[in-house]
Amino acid sequence: MAINPRKLIEDIKKFLAQNGMKAEDIDKFGQQLQERLDNVAPPTIAIIGFTGVGKSSTLNALFNAGQMTSDVRACTQDAKQFTGDIEPYTGKKGIINIYDMPGLGESIAKDCLHYDVYADILPKVDVIIWAFHAGDRAMTPMQNAILTLIDRIGPSFTEKMLFAINKADTIAPGESAWNEEFNIPSAEQKLNLNGFESYVRERVKEVLPSWNGPIISYSAKRRYHLDQLMTEMVSVMPNDIKWVLSELADVADYTELIDPEHLELIKAMKADIK
Ligand SMILES: Nc1nc2c(ncn2[C@@H]2O[C@H](COP(=O)(O)OP(=O)(O)O)[C@@H](O)[C@H]2O)c(=O)[nH]1
Ligand SMILES: [Mg+2]
């Protein structure tokens, strides 16, 4: 069920009225809640991963970002910050802060510099998208990178991380197998993508045994599953920020979307009535 914050506030007000709260108190509460919503800072995301996996292409596909991409050269050498428009996804005005991060794995010397950038930026963002290249089975570099980052900044960044497997169109038996008519993977590609997602999860769990975040396959080039990628981004956001993008959040119960602080407020006001 998609949730709209305005409707949510109306639902809560209705609920409070049914519980006997005075109309003027309900209005005051509604205003307080609206103010809190209006003051929530825009969500911030960073996309990281090895060079050439399609990080910049992904941001271009999602937000029309105009980031430089290349078939043969790493062109993102420091963190590029810009804002993206969320209206196409939520149907209402709003922005998201984005960092296009330099890719790891170009050279030892460059990695040293890039880890400094990662250590500076990652603690500040709400969501970290770790982009992969579908079918690339070499996972030691990813495992080492996670351990290096944990050494540098501690493990908490892993809680806001999702793995995004790009270039779904290139997975075996290859791009020519892609179903152009429906813009989806062929049956064989779909099986391989599912297998690859499980493989990535197993390798991540070897270094992060309790990690159970999202892993999603998509293609920036084909614009396949970009909406799922956005939905998964929202799923790892902190609850108060989810409110901003809540039309995307697919949840059965709106209380999951309410900041515990707001829930406390509702409970406190209910107690006042009695
Ligand atoms: N086939 C295919 N190629 C892609 C896809 N996404 C990106 N690429 C290509 O991958 C290469 C590297 O992309 P880029 O965005 O520069 O990677 P970055 O280094 O991670 O920022 C470019 O040649 C892109 O055209 C995709 O979904 N499918
Ligand atoms: Mg790039």
Side-chain angles (χ1 to χ4, degrees), residues 49-58 60 68-76 100-101 103 131 166-170 175 218-223:
F50 291 92
T51 184
V53 295
K55 297 180 293 301
S56 301
S57 305
T58 300
N60 290 345
M68 281 236 307
T69 65
S70 166
D71 297 340
V72 290
R73 282 221 153 246
C75 33
T76 317
D100 188 10
M101 302 287 273
N166 186 27
K167 309 195 192 185
D169 53 320
T170 65
E175 238 182 300
Y218 71 104
S219 166
K221 175 178 167 183
R222 308 274 179 172
R223 309 189 62 80

mmCIF file of all heavy atoms in Angstrom, residues 49-58 60 68-76 100-101 103 131 166-170 175 218-223, ligand 1:
data_model
loop_
_atom_site.group_PDB
_atom_site.id
_atom_site.type_symbol
_atom_site.label_atom_id
_atom_site.label_comp_id
_atom_site.label_asym_id
_atom_site.label_seq_id
_atom_site.Cartn_x
_atom_site.Cartn_y
_atom_site.Cartn_z
ATOM 1 N N GLY A 49 31.604 1.550 -5.463
ATOM 2 C CA GLY A 49 31.880 0.265 -6.109
ATOM 3 C C GLY A 49 33.128 0.381 -6.970
ATOM 4 O O GLY A 49 33.797 1.423 -6.968
ATOM 5 N N PHE A 50 33.426 -0.658 -7.724
ATOM 6 C CA PHE A 50 34.642 -0.671 -8.524
ATOM 7 C C PHE A 50 34.444 0.112 -9.817
ATOM 8 O O PHE A 50 33.323 0.358 -10.247
ATOM 9 C CB PHE A 50 35.105 -2.116 -8.750
ATOM 10 C CG PHE A 50 35.590 -2.703 -7.464
ATOM 11 C CD1 PHE A 50 34.725 -3.409 -6.637
ATOM 12 C CD2 PHE A 50 36.879 -2.464 -7.009
ATOM 13 C CE1 PHE A 50 35.149 -3.881 -5.405
ATOM 14 C CE2 PHE A 50 37.307 -2.922 -5.780
ATOM 15 C CZ PHE A 50 36.440 -3.639 -4.974
ATOM 16 N N THR A 51 35.566 0.520 -10.376
ATOM 17 C CA THR A 51 35.514 1.375 -11.565
ATOM 18 C C THR A 51 34.859 0.639 -12.743
ATOM 19 O O THR A 51 35.061 -0.566 -12.909
ATOM 20 C CB THR A 51 36.944 1.876 -11.915
ATOM 21 O OG1 THR A 51 36.846 2.777 -13.016
ATOM 22 C CG2 THR A 51 37.903 0.742 -12.256
ATOM 23 N N GLY A 52 34.048 1.338 -13.472
ATOM 24 C CA GLY A 52 33.458 0.786 -14.692
ATOM 25 C C GLY A 52 32.192 -0.033 -14.506
ATOM 26 O O GLY A 52 31.639 -0.534 -15.482
ATOM 27 N N VAL A 53 31.691 -0.139 -13.264
ATOM 28 C CA VAL A 53 30.475 -0.948 -13.067
ATOM 29 C C VAL A 53 29.209 -0.199 -13.502
ATOM 30 O O VAL A 53 28.137 -0.797 -13.611
ATOM 31 C CB VAL A 53 30.316 -1.425 -11.596
ATOM 32 C CG1 VAL A 53 31.437 -2.371 -11.207
ATOM 33 C CG2 VAL A 53 30.223 -0.260 -10.634
ATOM 34 N N GLY A 54 29.352 1.104 -13.737
ATOM 35 C CA GLY A 54 28.206 1.883 -14.218
ATOM 36 C C GLY A 54 27.587 2.767 -13.145
ATOM 37 O O GLY A 54 26.384 3.044 -13.183
ATOM 38 N N LYS A 55 28.405 3.264 -12.229
ATOM 39 C CA LYS A 55 27.874 4.122 -11.168
ATOM 40 C C LYS A 55 27.318 5.423 -11.758
ATOM 41 O O LYS A 55 26.178 5.808 -11.481
ATOM 42 C CB LYS A 55 28.972 4.456 -10.140
ATOM 43 C CG LYS A 55 29.503 3.223 -9.417
ATOM 44 C CD LYS A 55 30.589 3.560 -8.417
ATOM 45 C CE LYS A 55 31.876 4.080 -9.036
ATOM 46 N NZ LYS A 55 32.497 3.127 -9.990
ATOM 47 N N SER A 56 28.149 6.084 -12.569
ATOM 48 C CA SER A 56 27.705 7.362 -13.147
ATOM 49 C C SER A 56 26.527 7.131 -14.097
ATOM 50 O O SER A 56 25.561 7.915 -14.101
ATOM 51 C CB SER A 56 28.863 8.042 -13.882
ATOM 52 O OG SER A 56 29.936 8.266 -12.987
ATOM 53 N N SER A 57 26.583 6.052 -14.870
ATOM 54 C CA SER A 57 25.469 5.746 -15.788
ATOM 55 C C SER A 57 24.164 5.549 -15.012
ATOM 56 O O SER A 57 23.085 5.944 -15.463
ATOM 57 C CB SER A 57 25.744 4.460 -16.569
ATOM 58 O OG SER A 57 26.972 4.534 -17.241
ATOM 59 N N THR A 58 24.271 4.940 -13.827
ATOM 60 C CA THR A 58 23.069 4.694 -13.009
ATOM 61 C C THR A 58 22.445 6.013 -12.566
ATOM 62 O O THR A 58 21.222 6.198 -12.659
ATOM 63 C CB THR A 58 23.453 3.842 -11.767
ATOM 64 O OG1 THR A 58 23.990 2.609 -12.230
ATOM 65 C CG2 THR A 58 22.262 3.593 -10.868
ATOM 66 N N ASN A 60 22.819 8.879 -14.015
ATOM 67 C CA ASN A 60 22.269 9.535 -15.201
ATOM 68 C C ASN A 60 20.886 8.961 -15.526
ATOM 69 O O ASN A 60 19.959 9.705 -15.849
ATOM 70 C CB ASN A 60 23.195 9.348 -16.400
ATOM 71 C CG ASN A 60 24.485 10.149 -16.243
ATOM 72 O OD1 ASN A 60 24.566 11.034 -15.391
ATOM 73 N ND2 ASN A 60 25.487 9.847 -17.055
ATOM 74 N N MET A 68 29.745 12.315 -16.348
ATOM 75 C CA MET A 68 30.594 11.748 -17.400
ATOM 76 C C MET A 68 30.712 10.242 -17.219
ATOM 77 O O MET A 68 30.885 9.769 -16.092
ATOM 78 C CB MET A 68 31.995 12.346 -17.299
ATOM 79 C CG MET A 68 32.089 13.731 -17.883
ATOM 80 S SD MET A 68 33.336 13.858 -19.148
ATOM 81 C CE MET A 68 34.795 13.240 -18.378
ATOM 82 N N THR A 69 30.625 9.524 -18.318
ATOM 83 C CA THR A 69 30.838 8.071 -18.253
ATOM 84 C C THR A 69 31.864 7.712 -19.324
ATOM 85 O O THR A 69 32.142 8.509 -20.220
ATOM 86 C CB THR A 69 29.537 7.293 -18.554
ATOM 87 O OG1 THR A 69 29.164 7.544 -19.908
ATOM 88 C CG2 THR A 69 28.418 7.704 -17.629
ATOM 89 N N SER A 70 32.459 6.518 -19.208
ATOM 90 C CA SER A 70 33.436 6.123 -20.217
ATOM 91 C C SER A 70 33.479 4.605 -20.349
ATOM 92 O O SER A 70 33.290 3.885 -19.371
ATOM 93 C CB SER A 70 34.819 6.642 -19.825
ATOM 94 O OG SER A 70 35.802 5.981 -20.614
ATOM 95 N N ASP A 71 33.745 4.156 -21.582
ATOM 96 C CA ASP A 71 33.893 2.719 -21.824
ATOM 97 C C ASP A 71 35.244 2.232 -21.303
ATOM 98 O O ASP A 71 35.403 1.072 -20.968
ATOM 99 C CB ASP A 71 33.822 2.423 -23.328
ATOM 100 C CG ASP A 71 32.461 2.796 -23.899
ATOM 101 O OD1 ASP A 71 31.504 2.896 -23.103
ATOM 102 O OD2 ASP A 71 32.361 2.981 -25.129
ATOM 103 N N VAL A 72 36.244 3.096 -21.274
ATOM 104 C CA VAL A 72 37.614 2.622 -21.018
ATOM 105 C C VAL A 72 38.368 3.334 -19.893
ATOM 106 O O VAL A 72 39.409 2.862 -19.467
ATOM 107 C CB VAL A 72 38.483 2.712 -22.303
ATOM 108 C CG1 VAL A 72 38.045 1.678 -23.321
ATOM 109 C CG2 VAL A 72 38.444 4.104 -22.888
ATOM 110 N N ARG A 73 37.865 4.467 -19.427
ATOM 111 C CA ARG A 73 38.636 5.243 -18.434
ATOM 112 C C ARG A 73 37.781 5.542 -17.214
ATOM 113 O O ARG A 73 36.582 5.786 -17.334
ATOM 114 C CB ARG A 73 39.043 6.599 -19.032
ATOM 115 C CG ARG A 73 40.186 6.504 -19.961
ATOM 116 C CD ARG A 73 41.155 7.687 -19.754
ATOM 117 N NE ARG A 73 42.483 7.276 -20.157
ATOM 118 C CZ ARG A 73 43.504 7.149 -19.341
ATOM 119 N NH1 ARG A 73 43.375 7.420 -18.065
ATOM 120 N NH2 ARG A 73 44.671 6.748 -19.780
ATOM 121 N N ALA A 74 38.431 5.562 -16.035
ATOM 122 C CA ALA A 74 37.723 5.998 -14.832
ATOM 123 C C ALA A 74 37.628 7.517 -14.890
ATOM 124 O O ALA A 74 38.639 8.203 -14.860
ATOM 125 C CB ALA A 74 38.497 5.566 -13.595
ATOM 126 N N CYS A 75 36.415 8.043 -15.021
ATOM 127 C CA CYS A 75 36.363 9.509 -15.148
ATOM 128 C C CYS A 75 35.868 10.189 -13.877
ATOM 129 O O CYS A 75 35.917 11.401 -13.781
ATOM 130 C CB CYS A 75 35.569 9.959 -16.368
ATOM 131 S SG CYS A 75 34.225 8.942 -16.834
ATOM 132 N N THR A 76 35.416 9.439 -12.888
ATOM 133 C CA THR A 76 34.993 10.076 -11.640
ATOM 134 C C THR A 76 36.131 9.936 -10.631
ATOM 135 O O THR A 76 36.373 8.854 -10.114
ATOM 136 C CB THR A 76 33.710 9.400 -11.099
ATOM 137 O OG1 THR A 76 32.814 9.184 -12.193
ATOM 138 C CG2 THR A 76 33.032 10.246 -10.055
ATOM 139 N N ASP A 100 28.161 11.013 -6.502
ATOM 140 C CA ASP A 100 28.748 10.038 -7.424
ATOM 141 C C ASP A 100 30.197 9.878 -6.984
ATOM 142 O O ASP A 100 30.980 10.823 -7.019
ATOM 143 C CB ASP A 100 28.679 10.571 -8.867
ATOM 144 C CG ASP A 100 29.110 9.513 -9.873
ATOM 145 O OD1 ASP A 100 29.277 8.341 -9.469
ATOM 146 O OD2 ASP A 100 29.260 9.860 -11.070
ATOM 147 N N MET A 101 30.541 8.670 -6.532
ATOM 148 C CA MET A 101 31.847 8.469 -5.894
ATOM 149 C C MET A 101 32.852 7.895 -6.893
ATOM 150 O O MET A 101 32.475 7.187 -7.833
ATOM 151 C CB MET A 101 31.689 7.501 -4.722
ATOM 152 C CG MET A 101 30.693 7.975 -3.673
ATOM 153 S SD MET A 101 31.317 9.344 -2.689
ATOM 154 C CE MET A 101 32.170 8.435 -1.414
ATOM 155 N N GLY A 103 35.502 5.330 -8.432
ATOM 156 C CA GLY A 103 35.483 3.865 -8.386
ATOM 157 C C GLY A 103 36.772 3.309 -7.808
ATOM 158 O O GLY A 103 37.860 3.829 -8.053
ATOM 159 N N ALA A 131 27.480 -0.627 -6.171
ATOM 160 C CA ALA A 131 27.151 -1.122 -7.511
ATOM 161 C C ALA A 131 28.127 -2.207 -7.958
ATOM 162 O O ALA A 131 29.338 -2.114 -7.715
ATOM 163 C CB ALA A 131 27.155 0.043 -8.494
ATOM 164 N N ASN A 166 24.306 -4.003 -11.561
ATOM 165 C CA ASN A 166 24.008 -3.316 -12.826
ATOM 166 C C ASN A 166 24.355 -4.213 -14.027
ATOM 167 O O ASN A 166 24.937 -5.285 -13.861
ATOM 168 C CB ASN A 166 24.809 -2.006 -12.878
ATOM 169 C CG ASN A 166 24.442 -1.158 -14.078
ATOM 170 O OD1 ASN A 166 23.324 -1.231 -14.600
ATOM 171 N ND2 ASN A 166 25.376 -0.345 -14.548
ATOM 172 N N LYS A 167 24.000 -3.739 -15.206
ATOM 173 C CA LYS A 167 24.294 -4.415 -16.472
ATOM 174 C C LYS A 167 23.627 -5.793 -16.513
ATOM 175 O O LYS A 167 24.227 -6.776 -16.989
ATOM 176 C CB LYS A 167 25.807 -4.534 -16.719
ATOM 177 C CG LYS A 167 26.555 -3.193 -16.571
ATOM 178 C CD LYS A 167 27.947 -3.238 -17.159
ATOM 179 C CE LYS A 167 28.757 -2.019 -16.745
ATOM 180 N NZ LYS A 167 30.072 -1.917 -17.343
ATOM 181 N N ALA A 168 22.396 -5.865 -15.980
ATOM 182 C CA ALA A 168 21.639 -7.123 -16.015
ATOM 183 C C ALA A 168 21.539 -7.641 -17.447
ATOM 184 O O ALA A 168 21.462 -8.850 -17.687
ATOM 185 C CB ALA A 168 20.240 -6.894 -15.443
ATOM 186 N N ASP A 169 21.569 -6.705 -18.407
ATOM 187 C CA ASP A 169 21.427 -7.096 -19.834
ATOM 188 C C ASP A 169 22.631 -7.890 -20.344
ATOM 189 O O ASP A 169 22.533 -8.589 -21.349
ATOM 190 C CB ASP A 169 21.214 -5.844 -20.703
ATOM 191 C CG ASP A 169 22.283 -4.773 -20.481
ATOM 192 O OD1 ASP A 169 22.692 -4.559 -19.314
ATOM 193 O OD2 ASP A 169 22.711 -4.153 -21.467
ATOM 194 N N THR A 170 23.777 -7.778 -19.634
ATOM 195 C CA THR A 170 24.979 -8.435 -20.158
ATOM 196 C C THR A 170 25.205 -9.831 -19.574
ATOM 197 O O THR A 170 26.152 -10.516 -19.957
ATOM 198 C CB THR A 170 26.255 -7.600 -19.863
ATOM 199 O OG1 THR A 170 26.447 -7.563 -18.433
ATOM 200 C CG2 THR A 170 26.137 -6.185 -20.393
ATOM 201 N N GLU A 175 24.239 -10.050 -24.064
ATOM 202 C CA GLU A 175 23.298 -8.974 -24.401
ATOM 203 C C GLU A 175 22.321 -9.354 -25.505
ATOM 204 O O GLU A 175 21.182 -8.872 -25.519
ATOM 205 C CB GLU A 175 24.108 -7.724 -24.816
ATOM 206 C CG GLU A 175 23.796 -6.537 -23.948
ATOM 207 C CD GLU A 175 24.532 -5.269 -24.334
ATOM 208 O OE1 GLU A 175 25.786 -5.279 -24.313
ATOM 209 O OE2 GLU A 175 23.861 -4.269 -24.632
ATOM 210 N N TYR A 218 19.565 -4.766 -12.007
ATOM 211 C CA TYR A 218 18.937 -3.748 -12.852
ATOM 212 C C TYR A 218 19.866 -3.460 -14.025
ATOM 213 O O TYR A 218 20.991 -3.988 -14.091
ATOM 214 C CB TYR A 218 18.668 -2.461 -12.038
ATOM 215 C CG TYR A 218 19.919 -1.696 -11.690
ATOM 216 C CD1 TYR A 218 20.277 -0.529 -12.373
ATOM 217 C CD2 TYR A 218 20.794 -2.179 -10.715
ATOM 218 C CE1 TYR A 218 21.450 0.146 -12.080
ATOM 219 C CE2 TYR A 218 21.969 -1.504 -10.413
ATOM 220 C CZ TYR A 218 22.290 -0.349 -11.098
ATOM 221 O OH TYR A 218 23.452 0.305 -10.807
ATOM 222 N N SER A 219 19.412 -2.638 -14.939
ATOM 223 C CA SER A 219 20.281 -2.178 -16.016
ATOM 224 C C SER A 219 20.075 -0.688 -16.234
ATOM 225 O O SER A 219 18.969 -0.244 -16.554
ATOM 226 C CB SER A 219 19.984 -2.930 -17.324
ATOM 227 O OG SER A 219 20.608 -2.252 -18.396
ATOM 228 N N ALA A 220 21.152 0.072 -16.027
ATOM 229 C CA ALA A 220 21.076 1.518 -16.264
ATOM 230 C C ALA A 220 20.854 1.785 -17.749
ATOM 231 O O ALA A 220 20.044 2.628 -18.137
ATOM 232 C CB ALA A 220 22.357 2.189 -15.780
ATOM 233 N N LYS A 221 21.552 1.039 -18.579
ATOM 234 C CA LYS A 221 21.469 1.263 -20.027
ATOM 235 C C LYS A 221 20.055 0.990 -20.551
ATOM 236 O O LYS A 221 19.530 1.750 -21.352
ATOM 237 C CB LYS A 221 22.467 0.339 -20.727
ATOM 238 C CG LYS A 221 22.407 0.384 -22.236
ATOM 239 C CD LYS A 221 23.470 -0.532 -22.829
ATOM 240 C CE LYS A 221 23.250 -0.760 -24.311
ATOM 241 N NZ LYS A 221 24.258 -1.698 -24.844
ATOM 242 N N ARG A 222 19.445 -0.082 -20.085
ATOM 243 C CA ARG A 222 18.111 -0.468 -20.583
ATOM 244 C C ARG A 222 16.982 0.157 -19.775
ATOM 245 O O ARG A 222 15.823 -0.097 -20.054
ATOM 246 C CB ARG A 222 17.955 -1.992 -20.517
ATOM 247 C CG ARG A 222 19.058 -2.775 -21.167
ATOM 248 C CD ARG A 222 18.802 -2.953 -22.633
ATOM 249 N NE ARG A 222 19.902 -3.684 -23.229
ATOM 250 C CZ ARG A 222 19.900 -4.120 -24.467
ATOM 251 N NH1 ARG A 222 18.864 -3.886 -25.250
ATOM 252 N NH2 ARG A 222 20.935 -4.758 -24.946
ATOM 253 N N ARG A 223 17.345 0.869 -18.702
ATOM 254 C CA ARG A 223 16.349 1.433 -17.786
ATOM 255 C C ARG A 223 15.442 0.330 -17.231
ATOM 256 O O ARG A 223 14.247 0.513 -17.058
ATOM 257 C CB ARG A 223 15.527 2.548 -18.452
ATOM 258 C CG ARG A 223 16.366 3.623 -19.123
ATOM 259 C CD ARG A 223 15.528 4.801 -19.566
ATOM 260 N NE ARG A 223 14.896 5.446 -18.421
ATOM 261 C CZ ARG A 223 15.504 6.292 -17.608
ATOM 262 N NH1 ARG A 223 16.762 6.634 -17.831
ATOM 263 N NH2 ARG A 223 14.864 6.808 -16.578
HETATM 264 N N1 LIG B 1 25.478 -3.098 -21.293
HETATM 265 C C1 LIG B 1 25.431 -2.178 -20.327
HETATM 266 N N2 LIG B 1 26.433 -1.281 -20.207
HETATM 267 C C2 LIG B 1 26.358 -0.371 -19.215
HETATM 268 C C3 LIG B 1 25.261 -0.329 -18.308
HETATM 269 N N3 LIG B 1 25.485 0.681 -17.432
HETATM 270 C C4 LIG B 1 26.666 1.245 -17.768
HETATM 271 N N4 LIG B 1 27.210 0.620 -18.842
HETATM 272 C C5 LIG B 1 28.510 0.940 -19.507
HETATM 273 O O1 LIG B 1 29.561 0.709 -18.552
HETATM 274 C C6 LIG B 1 30.648 1.600 -18.820
HETATM 275 C C7 LIG B 1 31.098 2.293 -17.544
HETATM 276 O O2 LIG B 1 30.073 3.147 -17.099
HETATM 277 P P1 LIG B 1 30.346 4.336 -16.052
HETATM 278 O O3 LIG B 1 28.990 4.871 -15.699
HETATM 279 O O4 LIG B 1 31.370 5.290 -16.582
HETATM 280 O O5 LIG B 1 30.966 3.511 -14.817
HETATM 281 P P2 LIG B 1 31.545 4.046 -13.409
HETATM 282 O O6 LIG B 1 33.036 4.028 -13.546
HETATM 283 O O7 LIG B 1 31.098 3.029 -12.403
HETATM 284 O O8 LIG B 1 30.962 5.397 -13.153
HETATM 285 C C8 LIG B 1 30.152 2.544 -19.910
HETATM 286 O O9 LIG B 1 30.650 2.064 -21.156
HETATM 287 C C9 LIG B 1 28.645 2.411 -19.855
HETATM 288 O O10 LIG B 1 28.025 2.668 -21.093
HETATM 289 C C10 LIG B 1 24.194 -1.300 -18.469
HETATM 290 O O11 LIG B 1 23.204 -1.348 -17.755
HETATM 291 N N5 LIG B 1 24.359 -2.195 -19.490
#
